[in-house]
Amino acid sequence: MIGKLTGLKDTLWAIGIGICIIAVIFGLIFAMAHGYSGSSEKPGVDLGAANIKDEGTAQQVPLAPGELNELKETKNAGQEYLASLTFICDSTMIGMRDYGMLSGGSANTQVWGSTAGTIPIDSLSSCVIKYPADGSEISAATAAMIAQPKLLVLCVGNDGLASASEEAFRAAYKGLIDSIRSASPDTKIIVCSLLPVAENYTGADGLTNVAVAQATTWLKQVCTEASVYYADISSALTLNGSLSSEYSSGDGHALNSAGCSKVLEYLSTHAVG
C-alpha cells in the first residue's frame, strides 16, 4: 500500500513540473511575439537647481595670489564661527577685549592686545601682547605658535599712523603677517580695513581721515602681495567718510560696544570657510 502511494506522489510531482515548464515556454513565446509597447523613463538629475545659491550664501573662494581677496557676503555663520576667531587689536578695537564682547566675557581668550591697549605702527612687526591664557607678555608670533589659531583677525594699523611713511607702514604690516605665518603656517589671516576717525576728531596723534584713506591703499597692497583676506569693516561703521557717532567712543577714535558688535556682525556675514 505504501509503495503505491509513493508512486502516485512521484507521478503528481512530475506532472506539476511539466506544467510549469510548458507555462514558462508559452510566456517566452508570447513576449517575443508582442514585444513591450510601454515607454522607458530614466531618472534624471536636475543640475540647474543644485547650482543656484540663495543671495548671501556664497562661500569665499580660495585665496588668489596677486589679487585683493576681499571678503564677500555669506550667510550668517553664527556664534560658532565667531568663537573660532582670534583677534589682534590696537586701540581702535581693544574694546573687543575690554567690553567682553566674545564668549567668556572680559575673561575671554580670543582677543590679543597690549597691556596699554595700543600697538604703534613702528613696533607692529614685533609687537608684544598680553597673552590672555596666562597673562604673560609675549610677541604676537609666539602667541600664534602656542595657540595655532584657525582664523586670526588683524585689527591694527591706526596707532601711530599719522607719522608713518608708506615704506614703514608696509614693511611693518608685512613683517607681522610673515612672522605669524612662520609661527603658525595653517592659520588663515583676515586683515581688517583701517578705521576713520569721527568727523570732528582733534586727537593728539594728529590722525585725519585723509591719512586713513591714503594708508588704506597701502594696506590693500600689502594684503594683495601677502595673499591674505581683506575685510572692509569700515564700510559698516562710517557715515560720509567719517566714523559714525553711533559707533564711536567718546574720544572719536576707538569703537564703543555698539561698534564692536557691528564688526562681529560684519565678520559673521563675511565668513571664511
Side-chain angles (χ1 to χ4, degrees):
M1 182 67 178
I2 295 174
K4 290 181 179 180
L5 290 174
T6 302
L8 178 61
K9 183 171 67 173
D10 292 343
T11 301
L12 292 174
W13 270 108
I15 293 171
I17 293 170
I19 292 172
C20 290
I21 292 172
I22 292 170
V24 170
I25 293 172
F26 179 78
L28 290 172
I29 293 171
F30 182 84
M32 292 174 65
H34 293 275
Y36 176 62
S37 60
S39 62
S40 175
E41 191 171 309
K42 296 180 180 179
V45 178
D46 186 0
L47 295 177
N51 287 314
I52 296 175
K53 289 183 170 65
D54 294 334
E55 184 178 357
T57 63
Q59 296 300 306
Q60 306 302 331
V61 297
L63 286 167
E67 297 181 15
L68 180 64
N69 295 278
E70 184 171 340
L71 294 182
K72 297 177 175 59
E73 188 173 2
T74 65
K75 64 181 179 181
N76 195 318
Q79 291 298 319
E80 184 177 353
Y81 175 75
L82 292 178
S84 72
L85 303 178
T86 300
F87 296 81
I88 298 181
C89 298
D90 64 11
S91 64
T92 58
M93 279 194 279
I94 197 61
M96 289 280 191
R97 178 190 71 187
D98 297 343
Y99 300 142
M101 304 301 300
L102 296 158
S103 58
S106 58
N108 81 82
T109 59
Q110 292 178 244
V111 184
W112 302 349
S114 70
T115 300
T118 59
I119 302 179
I121 283 291
D122 58 11
S123 64
L124 188 59
S125 60
S126 58
C127 63
V128 172
I129 58 99
K130 183 178 181 180
Y131 192 57
D134 60 11
S136 60
E137 293 193 359
I138 56 178
S139 70
T142 301
M145 181 181 65
I146 297 170
Q148 297 288 304
K150 177 183 177 182
L151 293 163
L152 184 60
V153 185
L154 304 185
C155 309
V156 294
N158 277 64
D159 292 340
L161 178 59
S163 58
S165 66
E166 177 179 359
E167 182 180 7
F169 179 93
R170 292 178 62 175
Y173 226 111
K174 187 176 184 301
L176 176 60
I177 292 172
D178 288 347
S179 67
I180 291 169
R181 275 190 168 148
S182 295
S184 183
D186 293 331
T187 295
K188 294 179 181 179
I189 298 174
I190 301 171
V191 173
C192 287
S193 58
L194 300 174
L195 294 183
V197 291
E199 185 177 9
N200 299 317
Y201 179 72
T202 56
D205 59 2
L207 188 60
T208 66
N209 286 330
V210 172
V212 171
Q214 183 180 51
T216 296
T217 64
W218 306 341
L219 182 59
K220 288 181 177 180
Q221 289 171 350
V222 171
C223 292
T224 298
E225 293 168 2
S227 290
V228 295
Y229 289 109
Y230 176 77
D232 186 19
I233 60 169
S234 61
S235 63
L237 299 164
T238 58
L239 180 64
N240 298 324
S242 299
L243 181 61
S244 172
S245 59
E246 180 182 359
Y247 304 123
S248 171
S249 66
D251 65 4
H253 172 73
L255 296 184
N256 58 18
S257 59
C260 291
S261 293
K262 195 68 176 178
V263 171
L264 293 176
E265 178 187 329
Y266 185 94
L267 293 174
S268 68
T269 55
H270 294 73
V272 175

